[in-house]
Amino acid sequence: IKILKNNNTEATFFIDGNFIESNKELVQKINDYGNYIGNLGYNEKYDSVKLKYTNSLIYQIGKYKNKYCYSDDNNDILNNCKKENMYTIKGININSNNVYANLKNNLSNGKILRFNTDNYTVNNLDLMIKYIKQKGYKITSLDNLIKE
C-alpha cells in the first residue's frame, strides 16, 4: 500500500472476510490510503450469509456499502452476488510469469487488471505502476473507474 501511495495511485483490494477480521489495522490502512475494499467472500465461501457478513466488515472499515464481489466464472458465486445486488468483477490476471508481456498485451482504457499478492508482485509493483503510467494510462480504484 505504501508503493501505491508513493505513486499517487489508488486500487481496489478484494479481501476475504476472515482476513479482514484477523487484520483489521492493515485493512483500515488500505482503506485510509484511498483504496476501495471489495468482497472476496468469507473463508472462500460466497453464500448470502457470508457475503452479507463480509460486507458488514467492509462497512465497519470504510463506512460505505460495498458494491463489488470477485469471481472467476463460478455460477454459484455469480448468482449469490447478484442476489445481494452486487456487481461481479472478473479482472484480467497479470501473474508473475511474463508479467511485462501480460501487461503489454492487456493494457487499454477501462481494463480491470488483477495482480496476485505474492512477493514478485510486491517487489515489482513500483516498476509496473510506472510502466502503466508511462504508457499513458491512469490507475484508479474500481469505484472511481465506474463513476468515470
Side-chain angles (χ1 to χ4, degrees), residues 55-110:
N55 276 343
S56 74
L57 295 172
I58 293 169
Y59 185 82
Q60 290 171 22
I61 298 285
K63 303 300 183 231
Y64 56 82
K65 184 177 185 251
N66 173 56
K67 299 178 270 190
Y68 310 107
C69 66
Y70 188 87
S71 175
D72 283 328
D73 293 331
N74 179 310
N75 284 332
D76 290 335
I77 295 171
L78 295 170
N79 289 330
N80 287 336
C81 291
K82 184 178 177 180
K83 285 179 197 172
E84 297 305 317
N85 295 316
M86 296 167 59
Y87 299 105
T88 307
I89 304 302
K90 179 186 177 193
I92 295 166
N93 190 25
I94 305 297
N95 59 39
S96 301
N97 300 327
N98 300 316
V99 68
Y100 291 102
N102 285 335
L103 275 176
K104 182 180 175 184
N105 293 330
N106 287 297
L107 286 180
S108 66
N109 288 327

Side-chain angles (χ1 to χ4, degrees), residues 4 6 27 30 46 70 79 100 105-106 121 126-127 142-143:
L4 292 170
N6 291 341
V27 177
I30 290 169
Y46 285 83
Y70 188 87
N79 289 330
Y100 291 102
N105 293 330
N106 287 297
T121 299
D126 188 61
L127 270 170
L142 184 58
D143 206 42

